[in-house]
């Protein structure tokens, strides 16, 4: 008893020099345990709230004190809990809205479809930088494209770009051409997607037997005469 060590302790030490593992104490309950559900509810409100209306840590503590008479939690304790729970609640909400991934395959056939677009680009000419437009006609199947640069997106440039593209490609797409912007060929915008095309564009289409999206697909006889 001189060293204040019991006989049982000495006996265990003689049996094994390695001390037994200590039992881990049970985890202490968080001081926020009574109000975790209320904090989670506030964080769920933030999912659809504008950025400036989301709950800050001081705002959460104010609501806990005013609505639930809870003032035991410190700001760092609330911050640690919110930092952990906010992404978890967001993930839970996304899981509930999850839908099956899928896609609709697009089957393109050679020479059938193309896309046309005008895009801005800058050109250094004679020491001066000027804004120009780039006409692009791209085949949907192969991705082969014809590009031509013009000073403006005029109707003349629009038509000439088509002629250049048809010459390089050796023919006209047999089904249709999609347009991101058909403004150079439009005389008047009507209701909805309806457009009144200019007479010059109508004559151009008639010459090349060309139909844009939304028009009737040409017959096989017309297609044969249109493709080189």
């Amino acid at each position: 008893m001189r060293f204040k060590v019991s006989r049982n302790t000495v006996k265990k030490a003689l049996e094994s020099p390695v001390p037994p593992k200590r039992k881990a104490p049970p985890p202490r309950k968080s001081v926020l345990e009574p109000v975790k559900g209320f904090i989670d509810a506030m964080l769920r409100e933030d999912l659809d709230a504008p950025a400036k209306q989301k709950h800050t840590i001081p705002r959460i503590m104010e609501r806990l004190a005013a609505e639930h008479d809870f003032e035991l939690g410190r700001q760092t304790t609330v911050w640690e809990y919110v930092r952990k729970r906010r992404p978890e609640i967001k993930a839970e909400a996304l899981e509930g809205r999850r839908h099956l991934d899928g896609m609709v395959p697009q089957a393109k056939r050679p020479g059938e479809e193309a896309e046309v677009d005008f895009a801005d680009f800058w050109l250094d000419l004679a020491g001066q930088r000027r804004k120009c437009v780039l006409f692009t006609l791209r085949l949907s199947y192969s991705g082969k494209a014809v590009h031509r640069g013009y000073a403006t997106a005029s109707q003349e440039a629009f038509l000439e770009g088509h002629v250049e593209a048809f010459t390089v490609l050796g023919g006209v797409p047999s089904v249709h051409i999609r347009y991101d912007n058909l403004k150079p060929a439009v005389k008047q915008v009507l209701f909805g997607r309806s457009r009144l095309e200019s007479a010059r564009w109508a004559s151009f289409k008639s010459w090349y037997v060309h139909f844009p999206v939304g028009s009737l697909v040409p017959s096989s006889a017309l297609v044969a005469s249109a493709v080189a």
Side-chain angles (χ1 to χ4, degrees):
M1 300 300 295
R2 172 177 160 185
F3 297 102
K4 297 182 180 181
V5 178
S6 68
R7 293 177 182 272
N8 291 334
T9 303
V10 175
K11 182 181 178 182
K12 291 179 181 178
L14 293 174
E15 292 175 352
S16 175
V18 180
K21 292 183 178 180
R22 293 186 179 183
K23 292 183 178 180
R28 292 189 306 169
K29 288 187 176 181
S30 171
V31 68
L32 298 178
E33 204 67 38
V35 293
K36 282 183 177 180
F38 301 121
I39 298 177
D40 289 355
M42 297 181 203
L43 298 180
R44 290 189 180 94
E45 293 175 10
D46 289 347
L47 292 175
D48 299 320
K52 293 186 178 181
Q53 296 182 16
K54 296 184 185 297
H55 286 85
T56 60
I57 301 303
R59 177 57 181 156
I60 291 175
M61 297 184 69
E62 289 175 7
R63 288 192 59 181
L64 291 178
E67 300 174 17
H68 306 288
D69 196 25
F70 181 84
E71 299 180 352
L72 298 179
R74 295 186 303 173
Q75 184 164 327
T76 53
T77 306
V78 177
W79 180 84
E80 283 289 346
Y81 180 77
V82 171
R83 182 182 66 86
K84 177 184 176 183
R85 282 296 289 155
R86 195 185 291 275
E88 293 177 350
I89 288 176
K90 184 177 180 180
E92 292 170 4
L94 292 176
E95 186 70 24
R97 302 171 188 170
R98 179 168 293 180
H99 54 80
L100 295 176
D101 293 332
M103 64 177 184
V104 178
Q106 296 188 22
K108 307 292 185 182
R109 296 173 62 90
E112 285 191 347
E113 302 177 29
E115 299 130 23
V116 166
D117 189 21
F118 261 137
D120 295 337
F121 76 100
W122 292 89
L123 176 67
D124 292 330
L125 183 63
Q128 293 185 349
R129 173 158 291 194
R130 60 178 298 176
K131 184 178 180 181
C132 303
V133 294
L134 183 68
F135 173 92
T136 300
L137 188 147
R138 180 180 290 103
L139 294 176
S140 302
Y141 176 80
S142 65
K144 182 176 181 179
V146 178
H147 306 280
R148 291 294 184 270
Y150 297 98
T152 63
S154 63
Q155 188 178 79
E156 288 76 9
F158 185 69
L159 300 180
E160 183 179 322
H162 281 80
V163 174
E164 289 283 327
F166 296 158
T167 302
V168 172
L169 298 176
V172 180
S174 61
V175 176
H176 57 220
I177 298 177
R178 292 186 176 89
Y179 293 91
D180 182 53
N181 181 8
L182 199 56
K183 186 177 179 180
V186 172
K187 180 179 180 181
Q188 182 180 357
V189 177
L190 305 177
F191 295 102
R193 295 183 174 225
S194 300
R195 301 292 186 268
L196 180 60
E197 298 176 350
S198 67
R200 193 174 183 186
W201 174 243
S203 299
F204 181 85
K205 289 197 304 177
S206 178
W207 173 263
Y208 279 99
V209 196
H210 157 63
F211 293 79
V213 174
S215 299
L216 296 175
V217 177
S219 66
S220 57
L222 291 178
V223 171
S225 64
V227 179

